[in-house]
Amino acid sequence: MKKLFIILGSIIFLLAIGITGLKYWVQNNFESRLNSNPDRKYDLNYENFTISILAGNIELDNLKITPLNTDSLPSVITGTVEKAELDGISFLSFITAKAIKIQKLSFLTPDFTVIHSDFPKKSTTTTKPFQSLFKDIISRGEIKNFSLLGGKAELLYQKDTLQKIGSFEGLEIIATGLVTDSVQVGRAIPFKLENITISLKNFSYLTTDGQTLSLGAFDFDLEKGQMDLEALSMKLNSTWEEYAKTQPVQKGIMSFDIGHLALRGLSSESQFYDSLMVISQSLEIDSLDLHVSKDKNRPLPPQVAKKDFSNMLEELSFPVAIDSLLIKNSKITYSEIESGKTKAGTITLSEVNGLIQNVSSIDAVEKEKPLLIAISAIFDGSGKLNLNVTENYFERKWVADLTLEAMDMKQLNQTVNHLAGISIVTGDLQKLHMKMEATATASDNHFLMQYKDLKMELINPDDHKKGFMSSVANLAIHKQHLPGDKNYQELTYSTTRDIYKGPINLIWLSAKDGLMATIPSKVVQKLLPHSKESKAEKQEEKKDKKEIKAEKKAERKAKNN
């Protein structure tokens, strides 16, 4: 028995010596092994090293991440990690194969600083340094699972001085089933994996054109195929009128708030990091507040032909394919300052709800089904508006059905006061209905409008009433237009499209033609500016035809000679 105790004691003593020696050897060699790859982009150094051979884990305190060869990088990331935990380590592989095999690597409370030497033009550009960092760190061994908890970052731009352009906090990443020898660049952790979840809070980012992009919360789950964004906004750092004056040319100025954006049925082919591509079964936008504004006093940009609803998707900077896009509880405001004026007219759509189906800019998807748009809203705080559009992707043709009902026409004053110099005193719109069949050049329209008790005043740019001219104007309009009235009519007409403006402009021009043919009396219609313009256009067209005819005649004469 004594001999047995001696043997057991010797084994335990040798094990203790072996474990102590192994701990000492690992501790002395771990940092150099961690930084042994000559192609690495970062050095990892730590202040305190704790190891448990029996438990198979290592803890590194105050891990410092230091970039190498910073002069060649457009973005540099540095950071500290309060604690890094390495669990399930194979110390045998570490000794014999000089490889680090880990079941799980965890970063607790990391704090990153990203410095861009070139101002990033897209917010997705800010993710590239993190992709590079995670790839560099995780590829140093065979790591099955990775987690990062409580992370935060500050985004800086290096010019003459350091300028803060963004930040975020609450970063959490959990990646499972990693295959570190299989790179996939479209992911935050750029390796083949079973699942990844990502969340962060309070993201803010200053864009190159002076706007601030903010995000309250972000959650992504690859396995469930879903992404949620809370409190997403893009805001100007001044009023839109002041911002417009700083722009070299006339442009639509956009700002927005979105309460909640949810993507469901996300395809694994979607990308959100190195580049952006969204392929999803559904996108739901709840509580959108969109403002679009334009100052027409600014110079026009180079004229480019605008396309239709489906072709507008091609102007997006990233591919998209979404089966259904649902808009709920939203508001859209459009403001415009007419050339030569200083005050804006505004159109407001509140209580906007809509469904857009078969949204795609990807050829393989877009030709299968037509684009369908169905939107309802309250127009300028009163009228009930419904718009339905159908467009085939492979044709430049679309049809639209627009109705506007039960509207107090005084509510139009926010639109017409500054855009048209008109103030509506009374007016009850019972129904406006317009059907359109549109092509690349024009639309064939059917229009009817039913209203009563219309009275208006003309105003000057200072909002002062023109008494005498207002009286004349009221004599020149139909005060009501209802079935059974002598002047009542349903209109069929065509509207020529301005090729340099989009489909919404064609809807507006078509409605405007219907309004101008319904409200003014016949005598006044002939005196209206658009009638004179129409005559001038016809005369110009006749002149062009004569010139073309003369040119052809001259060509034939030259050939005969």
Side-chain angles (χ1 to χ4, degrees), residues 45-285:
N45 307 102
Y46 45 84
E47 292 183 2
N48 191 42
F49 180 97
T50 304
I51 182 172
S52 173
I53 299 294
L54 296 178
N57 63 52
I58 291 173
E59 288 186 2
L60 309 174
D61 294 330
N62 294 321
L63 177 70
K64 289 182 172 53
I65 301 167
T66 307
L68 305 174
N69 303 317
T70 57
D71 293 339
S72 62
L73 298 174
S75 300
V76 173
I77 184 168
T78 60
T80 59
V81 180
E82 188 175 294
K83 181 174 289 188
E85 297 179 346
L86 295 78
D87 296 315
I89 300 175
S90 171
F91 290 109
L92 181 62
S93 296
F94 185 77
I95 295 170
T96 59
K98 296 184 179 181
I100 302 176
K101 291 187 177 181
I102 306 170
Q103 283 297 315
K104 184 178 180 182
L105 170 64
S106 302
F107 280 3
L108 305 179
T109 323
D111 187 350
F112 302 107
T113 300
V114 183
I115 301 176
H116 297 281
S117 55
D118 293 323
F119 201 109
K121 293 180 173 59
K122 300 178 182 178
S123 56
T124 52
T125 306
T126 62
T127 66
K128 290 183 180 180
F130 290 99
Q131 282 180 299
S132 174
L133 172 65
F134 294 144
K135 179 183 177 183
D136 187 85
I137 292 173
I138 295 173
S139 62
R140 299 183 188 208
E142 295 180 21
I143 300 171
K144 299 297 183 184
N145 304 285
F146 172 76
S147 69
L148 183 153
L149 303 175
K152 63 180 181 179
E154 191 171 63
L155 312 176
L156 306 175
Y157 170 52
Q158 176 72 65
K159 199 177 182 182
D160 298 328
T161 58
L162 279 176
Q163 174 191 357
K164 182 177 178 180
I165 59 172
S167 63
F168 61 80
E169 61 187 22
L171 176 63
E172 295 191 359
I173 301 174
I174 299 175
T176 59
L178 286 163
V179 181
T180 54
D181 59 356
S182 178
V183 176
Q184 294 188 351
V185 296
R187 292 174 175 167
I189 305 296
F191 298 101
K192 184 178 179 181
L193 43 75
E194 291 177 0
N195 190 34
I196 182 170
T197 61
I198 304 172
S199 62
L200 60 82
K201 296 177 181 177
N202 301 326
F203 173 84
S204 67
Y205 175 75
L206 178 66
T207 68
T208 53
D209 54 0
Q211 293 180 296
T212 299
L213 175 66
S214 300
L215 178 61
F218 170 88
D219 291 284
F220 170 74
D221 190 312
L222 176 66
E223 189 174 52
K224 292 180 180 178
Q226 65 184 44
M227 177 186 291
D228 291 90
L229 292 84
E230 302 279 350
L232 175 65
S233 69
M234 177 79 82
K235 293 184 177 180
L236 296 167
N237 298 320
S238 62
T239 66
W240 76 264
E241 293 92 343
E242 292 171 344
Y243 180 80
K245 291 175 182 176
T246 66
Q247 301 305 298
V249 295
Q250 188 183 126
K251 60 181 281 190
I253 299 166
M254 184 175 68
S255 62
F256 63 82
D257 283 282
I258 298 176
H260 182 212
L261 188 152
L263 282 159
R264 295 292 182 267
L266 268 173
S267 167
S268 59
E269 296 178 15
S270 297
Q271 297 181 14
F272 301 97
Y273 305 100
D274 185 60
S275 59
L276 186 60
M277 179 170 68
V278 180
I279 302 175
S280 178
Q281 291 178 2
S282 69
L283 167 61
E284 181 178 302
I285 299 175

Side-chain angles (χ1 to χ4, degrees), residues 427-443:
D428 177 11
L429 174 65
Q430 296 182 357
K431 184 177 184 179
L432 183 153
H433 184 206
M434 182 174 68
K435 290 184 177 180
M436 302 174 60
E437 293 184 5
T439 66
T441 57
S443 67

